[in-house]
Amino acid sequence: MTEEAKTAHTLTPVLRALRSCLHLMVAALLALACVRAVADHATAAPAVIAAAAALFAVYVTGPRLPRLRTSTGAAALWLSAVALLWLVLLALTPDGVWLAFPLFFVQMHLLPLRGALPAVAATTLAAIAGFGWHTHTLSVGMALGPVLGAAVAVAVVLGYEALYRESEQRRRLIEELTAARSELAAAEHAAGVLAERERLAREIHDTLAQGLSSIQLLLRAAERALPERPGPALGHIRQARTAAVDNLAEARRFVRALSPPDLESGSLPAALERLCASTARTSGLAVHCQVSGAPTALPTPHEVALLRIAQSALANTVQHAGAARVELTLSYMDTEVALDVVDDGTGFVPAEVPAPGSAPAGGGFGLAAMRARARALQGTLAVESAPGEGTAVAVTLPCAAAPAVPETAP
């Protein structure tokens, strides 16, 4: 048995119980040998008692020696002393043969297997020879007892070793599974935090950021109208106030992960028409909305994504395109729904769009947020543009066919 195994074994409750039983067995067998020697009025009774006492003293000293559990040499030395005293006791009384059985277990426990098996074999031969010397006979039946005892001891110890190794493998497997479970939970938590952060970033960009940009444009228009044209300036200020109220409501709703109010009070086509009308009113652009195909009931995530993408695309047109006209088209197909936003602005080179946050003003999140929304629903988003040729944003989302729903007036 290895030092690691011996050290680990000393910590198991089962092994501690077996050791206690083994010590009690040794003490009982020594006492039996002494009692029988005295009861038979044997002349060697004092010598038997002395040998038993010496053997018991050496035996009980062993478990108190720390090196006995960590050093094979110390264990072999102690076992040699025990075996020598046992041979003396066996020479004095045939009852000493019974001590061979607990001695088998001690040898199997303290010695490595390559040393324990020869020690058990030598002890078996000594027990057979000693008993035969006392009885002056030697038979198969006489040899069978010590041999069976040795076989049982070897089988029990080896079986216990196999069970212990299996239990250790299971313990290590459980520890690995527990560690993997903890790592998976941590990864899921991190993924959840990242997903929620991305959701809030998209919502802030598509609602608060766009709303603040509209408010800024309205206030700038009001500033230009003052003081010569107080009427138009007041109208711009009122629109800015309405936009601020709407964006405050949007902020509260997306923090609670609720649907946009435009979708709760009507269908997606109606919400897009209201969005186009609001954009035209605040920006002065000609924004036209049309629906192609029979409107069908879409899953709420699809409607929210399409509305937010439309908001972001129109906001980009107002802020960057310098366009005069925008066409927004919602197309219902058998297994897909598509949204196209086309303007006649200055255009740009899509491959040269800076990465999100790398632009001088810290922008660049619009297209990235739109692509993320489409990708989250297994959809696609394409951007076609060139300098001086306007811009077309097209998003396509897969969806199952659903019953047609009546259009709701804006």
Side-chain angles (χ1 to χ4, degrees):
M1 185 182 302
T2 63
E3 294 182 6
E4 180 182 358
K6 288 187 288 184
T7 303
H9 277 48
T10 59
L11 303 177
T12 58
V14 174
L15 190 62
R16 284 198 293 268
L18 291 176
R19 283 181 172 181
S20 299
C21 294
L22 187 66
H23 298 336
L24 290 175
M25 182 186 298
V26 171
L29 291 175
L30 287 174
L32 176 64
C34 294
V35 170
R36 291 196 57 175
V38 173
D40 292 342
H41 303 289
T43 56
V48 170
I49 295 174
L55 177 58
F56 183 75
V58 174
Y59 181 83
V60 298
T61 302
R64 304 177 185 276
L65 301 176
R67 285 184 55 82
L68 203 65
R69 294 187 295 271
T70 59
S71 172
T72 303
L77 183 62
W78 177 76
L79 279 173
S80 299
V82 171
L84 181 61
L85 290 173
W86 171 69
L87 290 175
V88 172
L89 181 64
L90 181 62
L92 295 174
T93 172
D95 293 322
V97 70
W98 304 112
L99 286 164
F101 187 67
L103 191 58
F104 294 150
F105 285 97
V106 176
Q107 291 167 339
M108 289 294 298
H109 175 66
L110 290 180
L111 297 177
L113 189 62
R114 63 179 181 275
L117 292 179
V120 169
T123 303
T124 303
L125 293 176
I128 295 172
F131 194 76
W133 181 72
H134 281 288
T135 59
H136 304 290
T137 59
L138 188 61
S139 64
V140 175
M142 183 187 303
L144 193 60
V147 170
L148 287 178
V152 169
V154 172
V156 168
V157 173
L158 293 181
Y160 175 80
E161 290 289 334
L163 290 175
Y164 179 79
R165 285 193 299 269
E166 183 177 353
S167 67
E168 279 296 293
Q169 291 176 355
R170 290 183 178 180
R171 181 186 61 81
R172 286 193 294 268
L173 179 60
I174 291 173
E175 290 178 353
E176 292 174 359
L177 290 175
T178 302
R181 198 174 182 180
S182 300
E183 293 175 359
L184 179 60
E188 289 178 348
H189 175 72
V193 171
L194 181 59
E196 182 64 11
R197 183 179 299 172
E198 291 179 352
R199 182 187 76 84
L200 289 176
R202 289 195 300 266
E203 296 293 345
I204 289 173
H205 178 273
D206 294 341
T207 56
L208 295 184
Q210 309 301 349
L212 291 174
S213 297
S214 298
I215 293 171
Q216 182 184 18
L217 292 174
L218 290 168
L219 293 178
R220 188 177 298 169
E223 183 181 13
R224 287 196 300 266
L226 289 174
E228 291 83 4
R229 294 178 294 154
L234 181 59
H236 292 317
I237 292 174
R238 286 174 178 171
Q239 291 179 10
R241 180 180 177 184
T242 301
V245 172
D246 292 343
N247 277 269
L248 179 59
E250 286 277 12
R252 289 170 176 168
R253 299 184 76 82
F254 76 66
V255 167
R256 296 193 299 268
L258 300 177
S259 299
D262 285 342
L263 291 177
E264 289 190 345
S265 60
S267 64
L268 176 61
L272 292 175
E273 289 184 5
R274 285 193 293 269
L275 173 63
C276 291
S278 174
T279 303
R281 187 171 56 253
T282 58
S283 65
L285 296 178
V287 184
H288 182 253
C289 178
Q290 62 180 349
V291 177
S292 173
T296 58
L298 298 175
T300 300
H302 287 61
E303 292 188 341
V304 172
L306 291 172
L307 179 60
R308 294 306 190 201
I309 290 173
Q311 288 176 328
S312 184
L314 290 177
N316 284 346
T317 300
V318 171
Q319 295 176 32
H320 309 296
R325 183 178 179 82
V326 184
E327 292 286 341
L328 186 148
T329 304
L330 178 65
S331 302
Y332 289 94
M333 294 168 278
D334 291 339
T335 58
E336 293 179 335
V337 60
L339 176 70
D340 298 285
V341 181
V342 182
D343 66 59
D344 60 354
T346 57
F348 64 96
V349 179
E352 296 180 357
V353 175
S358 62
F365 291 95
L367 289 176
M370 287 189 279
R371 284 197 178 92
R373 287 187 185 276
R375 188 167 52 248
L377 297 174
Q378 288 75 50
T380 59
L381 184 136
V383 179
E384 295 182 4
S385 183
E389 298 182 8
T391 301
V393 176
V395 59
T396 303
L397 301 180
C399 61
V405 297
E407 293 188 34
T408 303

